[in-house]
């Protein structure tokens, strides 16, 4: 992780705390869900951790880490480094007093908050995401999400699967403009109880992974870019052990 997080020299005179401790504090905060000001005294001061997180986030460090680790894991699984297909879906996060001013009401979920629109590859690893108020429709975000997907993968994606919330000519045309064929996976007409839908279950599993991190159980952030950055931080935490294992295995061989 160090090459991605070192924005300036390790010997810089203004550096007072090791980067490892700062990143560990960020990992703890994402897992425990505590406010910034309640970081334990074992970590660097919360002001410093938050400031460094914003620097990393603005520089795209976490997005670069997720992209490279995704390629490592895919290659180790016998797949191409960049995906040719993604799965799209959105999750609504309940608002808090911090995020309330930018929240919207999701009539389907009956919840006021923010909606995180995600694209994952067929292994469930994050490719791209956008954050909007919860009243924004999924189909209206296809253009921005598909463009972000192609930018993250070097325009390797050809197919995207999604649920019925992405139905419509405008969504299909927006995906085609980005070079992606949008395919809708529909529920069976005679649905009774839980149904495991082809392809779509992958992104639902990714949402399940995110639910293990209490900081993402609700929208506690004042700014949407911070919420988006924390999603990339969480996927860094999830992907790092597997990527490190394959790198160590490759080095030993």
């Amino acid at each position: 992780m160090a090459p991605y997080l070192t924005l300036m020299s390790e010997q810089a005179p203004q550096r007072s705390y090791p980067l490892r401790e700062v990143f560990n504090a960020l990992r703890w905060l994402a897992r425990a869900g505590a406010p910034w000001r309640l970081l334990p005294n074992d970590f660097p001061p919360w002001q410093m951790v938050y400031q460094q997180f914003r620097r990393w986030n603005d520089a795209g460090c976490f997005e670069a880490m997720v992209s490279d680790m995704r390629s490592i894991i895919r290659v180790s699984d016998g797949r191409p480094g960049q995906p040719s297909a993604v799965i799209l879906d959105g999750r609504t996060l309940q608002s808090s007093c911090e995020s309330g001013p930018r929240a919207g009401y999701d009539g389907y979920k009956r919840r006021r908050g923010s909606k995180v629109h995600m694209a994952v590859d067929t292994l469930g690893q994050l490719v791209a995401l956008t954050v909007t108020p919860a009243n924004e429709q999924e189909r209206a975000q296809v253009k921005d999400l598909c463009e972000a997907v192609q930018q993250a993968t070097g325009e390797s994606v050809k197919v995207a699967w999604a649920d019925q919330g992405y139905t419509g000519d405008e969504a299909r045309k927006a995906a085609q403009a980005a070079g992606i064929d949008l395919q809708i996976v529909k529920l069976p007409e005679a649905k009774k109880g839980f149904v495991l839908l082809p392809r779509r279950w992958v992104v639902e599993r990714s949402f399940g992974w995110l639910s293990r991190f209490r900081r993402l159980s609700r929208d506690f952030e004042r700014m949407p870019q911070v919420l988006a950055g924390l999603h990339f931080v969480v996927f860094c935490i999830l992907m790092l052990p597997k990527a490190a294992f394959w790198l160590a295995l490759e080095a030993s061989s």
Side-chain angles (χ1 to χ4, degrees), residues 48-79:
M48 188 270 168
V49 176
Y50 178 74
Q51 184 184 60
Q52 189 61 44
F53 162 71
R54 291 300 305 274
R55 289 186 182 131
W56 284 334
N57 195 41
D58 293 343
C61 296
F62 302 116
E63 296 181 33
M65 282 189 282
V66 168
S67 178
D68 288 351
M69 285 192 291
R70 184 179 64 245
S71 297
I72 291 171
I73 295 172
R74 290 182 59 85
V75 170
S76 66
D77 198 50
R79 301 167 183 261

Side-chain angles (χ1 to χ4, degrees), residues 135-153:
N135 59 318
E136 296 286 342
Q137 297 294 323
E138 283 90 348
R139 61 177 62 91
Q141 308 307 314
V142 170
K143 179 178 182 295
D144 293 339
L145 192 56
C146 287
E147 289 177 352
V149 166
Q150 296 293 46
Q151 182 178 2
T153 61

Side-chain angles (χ1 to χ4, degrees), residues 166-181:
Y166 293 84
T167 305
D169 291 336
E170 292 185 6
R172 179 175 53 80
K173 291 178 181 178
Q176 287 179 347
I180 297 176
D181 178 23

